[in-house]
Amino acid sequence: MAIFLTVISVLLLCQFFFTIWNMKQFPVLKPASFSSDEPISLSILIPARNEEKRIEACLQSIVDQRHHPKELIVLDDHSTDQTRAMVERFAETYPWIRVQSGRALKQGWLGKSYACSQLAEVAASNWLLFLDADVRLKRGAIEAIYNQLCTQKTGMLSGFPEQKTGTLFEQLVVPMMMFTIGCHLPVKWVGKSKNPAFAAAHGGFIAIEKTCYYDIGGHEAIKDSLVDDMALARRVKEIGFPFTLASIHPFVYMRMYESGQEVWEGYRKNVFPGVNRNIALLSSVFCVYTMLYLAPVICFMVALLQLDMLSICLATLCYGLGVSIKATIDIENGRTSAMAFLLPVSILSLIAIGFASMKIGLKKEGYEWKGRRYE
């Protein structure tokens, strides 16, 4: 057991140093001045389906900015609540805001991709910023976004907003999204490599230049993809446009889910499709996670019973390294590091969701989200 734990500790130490280096590779949105003669224009596009609990705060965060986009269009995707009425109230005060009625879902399309495609059709700017209704912009966000887009000129920009969490299950699972990115995706290669394998994006925040958007086929090219953000990023890289995965949490935040059930259903919908329904890949990742982050805890308990002090020390070292990796990623993304101590529980939760996602995918039972069923 001591030999096994020694090997694990070496692997975790390497992972720790890689993570520190990797998190420093993110380009960072920076505060910037704004000039009215900027060579770009920006349309903020928000697909909304029954978002009355979220849309008001989203719009308020945008109108509270020092500078505003050229236009803001919300697509009411057949909402049955007060979503449309809330947007219309904003439109009465701000003429650059309007609401668009969504068409009936076409066969072969998934709901969000079809909504985004309709928004792109009516957008007048040369940059399109797709936001989810639960996204909030902090002060100075518009200027920072303009600054990055002016520098980049074309292609796509995405990033992971600061994640606000409430329930315990949210705190355990939601930050694991950045944990997997920080541990496994060489961020430097995301911008430099044309290989679509080195791509990651967050569907809540995607800015894409209009020429690039239509050259890659728009959302129609990925109309049946459950993980539309990743599919769009891969298309951008395949065609050869610039792609930036930036650190946007200083200017953007969100609360993706508001209950443990939403976390379970949301992640279950994305995990298996997110690895292209590759059983071997998902199983391999979970085996590695079990070995690195769960096995040391089990070894610690066994060593404690056997009074094996060497193994107890090594297991404690392994646990501490795992916690340090998680804490590093949490802190770099504007979160507290307190939940890092529950990393083994987060890993167990993620594995449970992953296998539930795989089960549904293999049995073709269909994933349910916001009243729609997806295959």
Side-chain angles (χ1 to χ4, degrees):
M1 186 162 58
I3 295 175
F4 170 77
L5 289 169
T6 300
V7 172
I8 296 300
S9 65
V10 171
L11 293 175
L12 285 169
L13 189 61
C14 293
Q15 180 73 82
F16 176 60
F17 286 121
F18 170 79
T19 301
I20 292 175
W21 172 81
N22 200 34
M23 296 305 295
K24 298 298 183 184
Q25 303 309 306
F26 278 97
V28 180
L29 288 190
K30 298 176 181 177
S33 58
F34 180 87
S35 171
S36 58
D37 60 355
E38 293 289 359
I40 69 169
S41 57
L42 181 68
S43 295
I44 295 183
L45 310 175
I46 305 175
R49 179 176 172 83
N50 293 333
E51 297 286 3
E52 66 177 9
K53 295 180 180 179
R54 301 180 176 93
I55 194 68
E56 184 175 12
C58 177
L59 297 181
Q60 191 64 52
S61 76
I62 296 170
V63 301
D64 285 345
Q65 297 290 310
R66 290 187 293 264
H67 298 280
H68 297 142
K70 178 177 182 177
E71 61 182 357
L72 188 160
I73 311 171
V74 177
L75 185 118
D76 175 25
D77 189 9
H78 303 90
S79 299
T80 56
D81 60 6
Q82 294 298 306
T83 296
R84 186 184 187 95
M86 288 180 170
V87 180
E88 288 174 341
R89 284 200 292 271
F90 275 88
E92 290 174 0
T93 306
Y94 303 96
W96 46 274
I97 295 178
R98 70 180 192 270
V99 61
Q100 182 92 4
S101 295
R103 299 192 291 267
L105 184 62
K106 280 185 180 180
Q107 185 175 3
W109 284 78
L110 296 186
K112 184 178 179 182
S113 289
Y114 191 47
C116 289
S117 179
Q118 293 174 73
L119 285 165
E121 287 176 14
V122 297
S125 303
N126 53 14
W127 275 92
L128 315 176
L129 175 58
F130 295 98
L131 295 182
D132 282 353
D134 48 6
V135 166
R136 314 284 182 259
L137 300 185
K138 301 179 186 180
R139 193 75 166 167
I142 294 294
E143 295 96 320
I145 292 168
Y146 264 100
N147 183 55
Q148 176 61 38
L149 301 186
C150 288
T151 301
Q152 190 166 323
K153 294 184 174 57
T154 188
M156 175 173 160
L157 164 71
S158 188
F160 292 82
E162 178 189 347
Q163 296 295 329
K164 302 291 187 181
T165 51
T167 65
L168 177 61
F169 201 58
E170 288 175 74
Q171 295 177 56
L172 287 171
V173 176
V174 172
M176 294 302 290
M177 175 171 50
M178 276 308 301
F179 180 81
T180 57
I181 297 294
C183 284
H184 306 302
L185 180 67
V187 174
K188 194 169 186 177
W189 292 0
V190 172
K192 291 193 172 183
S193 172
K194 294 183 179 181
N195 188 335
F198 299 110
H202 193 291
F205 182 98
I206 289 178
I208 187 166
E209 193 266 327
K210 186 179 281 187
T211 301
C212 168
Y213 179 77
Y214 285 110
D215 281 355
I216 68 169
H219 278 86
E220 185 171 7
I222 58 160
K223 62 184 178 181
D224 58 350
S225 175
L226 262 176
V227 192
D228 55 289
D229 46 8
M230 290 288 290
L232 202 64
R234 291 187 182 113
R235 288 285 299 171
V236 169
K237 290 180 72 69
E238 283 171 358
I239 303 302
F241 282 96
F243 176 80
T244 302
L245 182 66
S247 177
I248 65 171
H249 72 268
F251 294 101
V252 187
Y253 71 96
M254 69 188 305
R255 185 176 179 184
M256 291 178 63
Y257 308 109
E258 295 186 355
S259 69
Q261 182 178 352
E262 284 191 3
V263 173
W264 179 271
E265 293 175 354
Y267 273 72
R268 185 180 62 180
K269 172 177 67 73
N270 292 331
V271 172
F272 191 47
V275 294
N276 292 322
R277 302 176 189 263
N278 188 320
I279 301 172
L281 177 59
L282 188 61
S283 299
S284 298
V285 170
F286 288 159
C287 284
V288 170
Y289 279 6
T290 298
M291 181 178 68
L292 294 179
Y293 306 111
L294 298 181
V297 177
I298 297 171
C299 289
F300 176 83
M301 292 186 289
V302 172
L304 203 60
L305 291 173
Q306 297 176 348
L307 298 177
D308 182 348
M309 293 307 298
L310 176 59
S311 295
I312 289 173
C313 292
L314 288 170
T316 302
L317 173 63
C318 292
Y319 168 74
L321 286 169
V323 168
S324 299
I325 292 168
K326 178 66 160 53
T328 297
I329 295 171
D330 285 346
I331 292 170
E332 287 288 336
N333 285 278
R335 293 185 59 83
T336 175
S337 61
M339 293 302 294
F341 292 97
L342 293 179
L343 177 60
V345 184
S346 295
I347 295 291
L348 279 173
S349 301
L350 189 61
I351 290 174
I353 295 171
F355 280 118
S357 179
M358 186 188 300
K359 174 179 173 290
I360 290 175
L362 294 178
K363 290 190 173 183
K364 298 184 178 179
E365 296 172 349
Y367 302 94
E368 291 189 10
W369 185 247
K370 293 191 176 181
R372 285 175 172 158
R373 179 175 289 272
Y374 303 101
E375 298 299 329

